[in-house]
Amino acid sequence: MMKRYESKEITQMCKMIAAVGLIVGVSLFLLSFIANAYNKDFFLTIISLGIIGASMFMFGFGTFMGILMETYGNTKTSM
């Protein structure tokens, strides 16, 4: 049996994971402008953009799963 607020918990968890990923990605991106000697091949920039992209994907997927579970729960109780 599904709990009542399970979809909100999933959405909240994915929001928190995405927020941490965005903070790490943006801080690495800003650090890549300062660390010129270490960032010769733009390695730090590529990694930071990958982390930002993964965080955006995680937020979208989590929001989709939360909406899907909430809709599924509403249709199951109304039948």
Side-chain angles (χ1 to χ4, degrees):
M1 183 163 175
M2 196 171 78
K3 290 191 304 184
R4 183 174 178 159
Y5 298 107
E6 186 176 355
S7 61
K8 292 184 183 190
E9 290 174 0
I10 290 175
T11 306
Q12 186 67 23
M13 178 189 64
C14 288
K15 275 200 268 186
M16 293 298 289
I17 292 171
V20 169
L22 280 175
I23 290 169
V24 169
V26 168
S27 62
L28 280 177
F29 187 72
L30 293 175
L31 182 69
S32 71
F33 290 121
I34 297 170
N36 289 334
Y38 183 71
N39 198 21
K40 274 190 234 178
D41 298 328
F42 299 105
F43 180 74
L44 210 57
T45 307
I46 293 169
I47 294 296
S48 65
L49 290 176
I51 291 173
I52 291 171
S55 297
M56 290 170 38
F57 178 76
M58 182 63 162
F59 177 74
F61 183 73
T63 304
F64 173 73
M65 288 303 292
I67 291 171
L68 187 68
M69 288 181 69
E70 188 173 336
T71 305
Y72 177 73
N74 287 343
T75 58
K76 193 169 186 169
T77 56
S78 64
M79 287 184 163

